[in-house]
Amino acid sequence: MLSAINPITKLAACLLWMGESILIFDTRFQVACILVPAIALVVFNRTSPLVLLGLMIPFGLFGFGFLTTTLFFQKESEFALQVVGESVFASSAFSAGITLFLRAIACGMISAFFALTTDPNMAIRSLMISLRLPARIGYSLFAAMQLVPDLAAEAQQMRLARAMRFGRRPRRIPGPLEVFGLLIPLLAFAIRRAGRTAIAMEARGLAPAGPRTVMNAPTFAWCDSIFAAMAAAILGLCALLAVTV
Amino acid sequence: MTNAPCLPEAASAAGWDAVCVRYPFERQDSVGPVTLDIRVGERLLLLGPSGSGKSTLLLTLTGLIPRSIPADLGGNVRLHGSDTSAREPWGWATDVAQYFQDADQTLCGMCVEDEIAFALENRNVPAPQIVDAVASVMTQVGIPDGWRRRRTSTLSGGERQLVALAATLIQDASLFIADEPTAHLAPQAADRLHDLLLAKKDHQTILIVDHRLDGLVGSIDRVAVLGPDGTIIADGDPRTVFREKRELLASCGIWCPVSSTLDKALGEAGMASARAPLSIAEALAHLDPSVASPSEIARAKPVVDAFVASCRGASERPSMDTAPIAELVGADCAPFLGPVVLRGINLAVHEGEVLGILGPNGAGKSTLGVSLAGLLLPKKGTRKGAIGGFAFQRPENQFLTGSVKDEIDSALPKDMDVEEKQRQTQSALEAWKLTGLAHRHPFTLSQGQKRRLALATLTVSERWPLLVLDEPTAGLDAHGVSVLADEIRGLRRANRALAIITHDMDFALRICTRCVIVGEGRILADGSPDELLFDQVLLKRARLAEPSCGPARRWLERVSSC
């Protein structure tokens, strides 16, 4: 359902929510910024809550850094708190840390909402049609986005090859040494892959300028208006409650 | 047959004048000097051993070398009478369709439908025309409609190759360049693509590099052969080249059609056909029992018998009394994080056995191979036995070090004596013709050289009691396949077990002691190569084709019954 919405509409809504999340320094508002997209993903996109929890781990670790900094290094964190518009004297260190922690997760959840409901191919095509994004930049972005699943598949092949050399099955979850050992080969793969994709596109006539047809580009429909209106309304309501209550 | 001589006045479609290419940091040219001209409407087959520079030469045609791939280019390259440098490489896409050796070099990572439409989108063709063209080319190539929204990276190697071909065929360019288009394709798909590529269209010029010659050479107008030093060593009509230069080609490790072997044997017996044959049927046409005298047939019979026997190899089955080296029992096999593709597999490999795993593209052969090697546990059922070695379809996946020599070194046991290690490494380098490349980075090798290195690392050590080789002959020249066959025989004599996933039916017949045919989510048949590879009903069901010596076998049956 959510994937049927035009990527441009979703991108605009997500940027708006992320902007508000940065501007409104309130714990309850940050919680709303986490819960609303998460509930939408679970209900309308059938995303497993476990997947969401897993995806939030890196954002949680990042936010945890803010929390510990605020709690244990209050003096040193003064500058950081000033930057985010909050004075350490105006709220307790703990609540400031918690808000920063939640803000990191909120930004992560909003990003996950966009990523999990949007086909990168459609997003790029939509950007090229609606925002006149040049094809060369569009397809470069597309290739970069496609690299992520390809890297995962390549890493798996490499893990199989390495496991074979060591005469054992690959572990379900790779250890830190194994991950470190894969970094350089994967980087080399990414560089090779980027080169190959560039050659493949050039050989099939992708020109830096000039008109081109864009097939299967998403169009705007009534569901975009409903989504945009609902996203703005819920955001407005949450912001109002955070500021006034 | 369409081996009509080209008219001398035909215009040039493409040409190289004293072209040589040297990659950065290399001491010698990778190819050249080459002077070669392709005439409009001509179908030219370019042959050469691995590493002779065939792919490099093709990349110079639209200026990808040196504009996109850095290299020093000497001489002149012409396309349709203009210097290649007159346009950017993308500017030639309306006139030249390029199918690269590695399907991943042709595909951009989109879903199948978008991938095929990409070239026409770039030409600003109206959307309704693109929709029609995509549907038409998908039907031609045999791509199921259900693949339209699948990402190409989720397809098997052979399936990707089909999509890459469709993506280039849709360009309908006046010059079509195909670099090993059938390397990973099942026999029936390869035959269909040969037909599709070589269907005569007015003024369409075809330049093709392929090792799979049977079924292809009959439609070729001219053959040009690059020698190991990257220069042209033969050029002419295929009938003449394969009869008169056969010894030269064989000495350079270059593939010849199987029919040329039979032609040579018949020639030695004074029974060769007047016209050099390009297929077994042609080689035996003058010996058909309806036209040849009994004495001629009697003279030819031992020759044909010996030819069929040489194609069959030694296929006696080893004893099955010993405990299997690896066994799958009631196994449901699935790729990592993927759905189950094969169900209820019961398969055992014994010592001294060479098991052929055959089947159409996307049947799950590689998944079966990885499961048999023990690198992936089956989703259901069990797998017994020690972990086996696995030669990946893309050899790059298994390279771990920075040089060819180190790659082989690292495959040997760590506790091996240094001198012994050096000796064995040197021996493997020589056996696999990698001596001059010992200090090169594995990723800088040609596809054939990469394949040889991957196989060398697996066969050099006795670490694995079972070796599973996934399409080991893809991209290899005749010498590489001959070395591989010798290695397999040696390993078999040493009582190691091997499983070979292949689309090369001739290789399977020559080397395997037993075959399984995979399809429809299970093992369709299990038996001796002689029994399975000539079973027309089974082959049709599994979308395979009989080995190229099939017509000779049938000739022998007819002659015996007369």
Side-chain angles (χ1 to χ4, degrees), chain B residues 197-435:
Chain B
L197 277 179
L198 300 167
K200 191 72 182 169
K201 286 182 189 167
D202 286 344
H203 305 302
Q204 186 172 50
T205 311
I206 307 274
L207 172 55
I208 188 165
V209 172
D210 210 346
H211 288 315
R212 210 180 224 172
L213 302 182
D214 294 283
L216 170 69
V217 282
S219 310
I220 289 296
D221 298 319
R222 188 173 143 218
V223 177
V225 185
L226 280 176
D229 62 349
T231 57
I232 299 283
I233 56 168
D235 183 358
D237 162 58
R239 292 182 191 278
T240 315
V241 169
F242 290 125
R243 179 172 268 183
E244 292 177 7
K245 306 273 184 179
R246 189 186 177 280
E247 302 302 329
L248 174 68
L249 301 191
S251 70
C252 296
I254 297 166
W255 284 108
C256 290
V258 176
S259 57
S260 72
T261 310
L262 178 59
D263 181 48
K264 181 181 176 241
L266 287 169
E268 284 166 357
M271 304 289 299
S273 59
R275 192 178 182 218
L278 291 176
S279 67
I280 299 290
E282 274 189 29
L284 294 172
H286 65 295
L287 295 168
D288 189 278
S290 61
V291 293
S293 67
S295 65
E296 282 176 322
I297 289 173
R299 274 168 61 205
K301 192 170 175 285
V303 178
V304 181
D305 243 337
F307 166 73
V308 171
S310 72
C311 292
R312 196 183 294 132
S315 59
E316 74 279 4
R317 287 178 76 158
S319 164
M320 297 289 165
D321 299 337
T322 54
I325 282 186
E327 188 176 16
L328 290 169
V329 183
D332 285 0
C333 306
F336 185 73
L337 297 179
V340 170
V341 291
L342 294 169
R343 290 187 190 277
I345 300 294
N346 292 301
L347 184 64
V349 199
H350 296 78
E351 55 182 40
E353 189 171 40
V354 184
L355 174 74
I357 300 177
L358 314 172
N361 294 116
K365 301 184 295 295
S366 299
T367 304
L368 176 61
V370 180
S371 303
L372 191 62
L375 294 174
L376 283 181
L377 276 178
K379 296 270 179 188
K380 199 175 138 194
T382 53
R383 190 261 176 199
K384 298 173 190 166
I387 298 286
F390 190 89
F392 289 83
Q393 209 173 90
R394 286 177 58 198
E396 288 173 358
N397 286 132
Q398 64 195 79
F399 299 148
L400 304 177
T401 66
S403 79
V404 169
K405 185 175 170 296
D406 290 348
E407 201 63 42
I408 297 176
D409 258 351
S410 67
L412 289 164
K414 280 187 180 146
D415 55 357
M416 185 182 268
D417 177 63
V418 177
E419 278 183 19
E420 178 61 12
K421 211 175 208 181
Q422 276 181 350
R423 195 190 62 75
Q424 289 210 19
T425 302
Q426 194 54 37
S427 159
L429 286 169
E430 281 166 17
W432 290 95
K433 273 198 168 181
L434 293 165
T435 314

Side-chain angles (χ1 to χ4, degrees), chain B residues 11 52 79 85 105-106 116 126 167 242 293 304 336 359 380 387 418 436 532-533 539 561:
Chain B
S52 58
L79 259 178
S85 58
Q105 250 177 308
T106 308
I116 297 173
F242 290 125
S293 67
V304 181
F336 185 73
K380 199 175 138 194
I387 298 286
V418 177
L532 299 188
L533 302 190
L539 294 175
S561 66

